[in-house]
Amino acid sequence: MSSGGGTSHWVGHITGPVGGNAIFKNQEEQRRIDIMKKVRSGELDINEALKMAEDQGLYRERSVSTVLHNFHIYLCAQGKLTSHRLILQFDFELKAIKTIQQARTNKLCTFSEIYAYEIEEDNRVSIQYDGGKTNFEFEADMNDKSQIVRLLKNIVCYNDEVIEGEYDKVSDADLAASMVAPSKVDVNVLKEGYLEKKGHNAAFLSWPKRYVRVLKGELYYAKPDERDVPQNVIDLVEKCVSFRKVDFNGFSVTNLINGRSYNFRACPSTTGKRSSPDIEQERDEWYKVSFQSVNMECQFCSKTQLVTNQISFN
């Protein structure tokens, strides 16, 4: 989602007494409010709103894109994808998540009510709120999914750290500034190659081969023939993940926010020439790089849990 910024400026030739100047500023503020209402109603998307604001000379440091984030999603019902398309909106002014469908806006929950979230290997995401009693499940395209998950991760981390009742004391601008902008990720690949990943299907055990890349603050995996289309992105953020070596050939990465574990292991030899020490050494390299790539700059986190217990996948 693009972010607008810049120095406040006025357009037009302003004449007359100070009172006239004040009237002009009030009119400008009203135009900002009108644009914001159109975004909230789904009439405009963020880019259209920014263009309208720019055309009217309404840019300022805190723009509409800082406060509102809209994503197109499809609802899921009882685990199945439906044809119901709507807008999922993160509103940092009201500190709430809302849905918009056919110009009707409904508040899903406040930020402070968000309990956890789940992500699947496809485009599916679910938000758990109301103490985990209510689950809102949907699908979004991969780019939107990545941004949605990043926002949810920051909100859940913030909920874990903030003192109850402190939300009302945090301005929407300060909260948005700390959460909205995606963390800058080092584009340099620290390690990449093939690993086997344990499937999430409970009906049978599978270890499909996946192409894995580790970057600063992220680990993502993709199908071998679709390297640049990640099935999932695991945020490696301080205090939000734990690492564990498993047997001689594997390791796991666990999201401490939602409890989801991702299990990987070094690929076995196709020729039978690789020894157990060689496989273990490869595993240790992946494990070390993944742990060292943890982003230490998360504003909500203070400590990463490193677990080195030897356990079995079975």
Side-chain angles (χ1 to χ4, degrees):
M1 196 70 63
S2 60
S3 178
T7 305
S8 301
H9 60 279
W10 313 110
V11 294
H13 182 61
I14 304 173
T15 59
V18 175
N21 205 359
I23 291 174
F24 180 82
K25 292 182 179 180
N26 288 338
Q27 291 173 343
E28 183 187 60
E29 185 63 27
Q30 184 58 50
R31 294 202 300 273
R32 285 196 183 97
I33 293 173
D34 291 341
I35 293 175
M36 188 79 74
K37 287 180 178 178
K38 290 182 178 181
V39 176
R40 284 206 170 93
S41 68
E43 184 178 344
L44 295 178
D45 63 26
I46 294 298
N47 290 328
E48 292 169 339
L50 291 174
K51 181 63 168 61
M52 181 177 291
E54 183 178 19
D55 291 343
Q56 297 184 25
L58 301 177
Y59 258 146
R60 60 180 180 175
E61 190 170 344
R62 179 189 153 206
S63 68
V64 63
S65 66
T66 305
V67 179
L68 296 176
H69 277 246
N70 289 351
F71 304 95
H72 290 286
I73 63 170
Y74 286 91
L75 284 180
C76 296
Q78 297 180 341
K80 295 182 179 180
L81 181 64
T82 71
S83 60
H84 296 298
R85 187 171 185 262
L86 63 156
I87 294 172
L88 184 71
Q89 183 177 89
F90 288 76
D91 188 330
F92 282 86
E93 185 172 26
L94 300 180
K95 302 180 180 68
I97 294 181
K98 297 180 288 186
T99 60
I100 304 171
Q101 188 174 29
Q102 298 179 346
R104 296 180 180 178
T105 302
N106 296 304
K107 187 175 79 171
L108 184 68
C109 62
T110 63
F111 287 173
S112 61
E113 292 175 321
I114 298 176
Y115 177 75
Y117 63 92
E118 294 281 347
I119 52 178
E120 302 295 338
E121 289 191 352
D122 52 19
N123 295 344
R124 190 160 300 189
V125 181
S126 64
I127 302 173
Q128 299 170 14
Y129 59 97
D130 189 22
K133 299 176 183 177
T134 307
N135 190 59
F136 181 75
E137 191 173 14
F138 60 91
E139 288 194 6
D141 68 40
M142 194 60 70
N143 182 53
D144 281 354
K145 174 188 173 183
S146 176
Q147 296 184 60
I148 290 170
V149 169
R150 191 180 297 278
L151 288 172
L152 289 172
K153 175 201 70 178
N154 286 342
I155 290 171
V156 171
C157 282
Y158 186 83
N159 287 345
D160 186 53
E161 294 291 328
V162 74
I163 300 173
E164 187 174 357
E166 289 293 308
Y167 257 110
D168 293 337
K169 299 180 182 179
V170 182
S171 71
D172 56 295
D174 290 340
L175 190 64
S178 62
M179 291 186 183
V180 172
S183 303
K184 291 183 179 180
V185 178
D186 189 345
V187 295
N188 294 324
V189 177
L190 303 179
K191 187 172 179 61
E192 62 184 324
Y194 291 100
L195 291 172
E196 291 183 337
K197 179 188 172 295
K198 185 179 181 182
H200 284 302
N201 193 325
F204 60 92
L205 181 63
S206 64
W207 288 88
K209 181 182 288 187
R210 291 292 179 257
Y211 191 78
V212 181
R213 280 191 177 125
V214 180
L215 299 88
K216 180 63 177 177
E218 289 186 353
L219 180 153
Y220 82 73
Y221 56 89
K223 293 181 179 179
D225 56 346
E226 298 178 341
R227 293 185 180 185
D228 296 323
V229 185
Q231 285 187 295
N232 213 343
V233 178
I234 305 172
D235 286 307
L236 304 180
V237 179
E238 194 179 15
K239 197 182 177 183
C240 295
V241 293
S242 68
F243 300 84
R244 178 171 292 163
K245 292 183 179 179
V246 184
D247 290 337
F248 72 95
N249 61 345
F251 69 98
S252 68
V253 181
T254 300
N255 183 322
L256 298 177
I257 297 173
N258 58 28
R260 173 68 63 85
S261 291
Y262 303 87
N263 298 313
F264 300 92
R265 69 184 185 188
C267 296
S269 172
T270 56
T271 62
K273 295 181 179 180
R274 294 184 70 190
S275 64
S276 294
D278 290 337
I279 295 176
E280 184 172 6
Q281 180 179 354
E282 181 184 349
R283 186 277 308 277
D284 288 345
E285 291 174 0
W286 278 100
Y287 180 84
K288 180 179 180 180
V289 170
S290 298
F291 177 71
Q292 290 180 338
S293 72
V294 169
N295 187 352
M296 301 298 182
E297 298 177 356
C298 178
Q299 65 272 22
F300 305 115
C301 304
S302 58
K303 183 179 180 182
T304 297
Q305 297 188 19
L306 174 62
V307 183
T308 57
N309 303 47
Q310 299 293 329
I311 63 170
S312 173
F313 279 136
N314 300 324

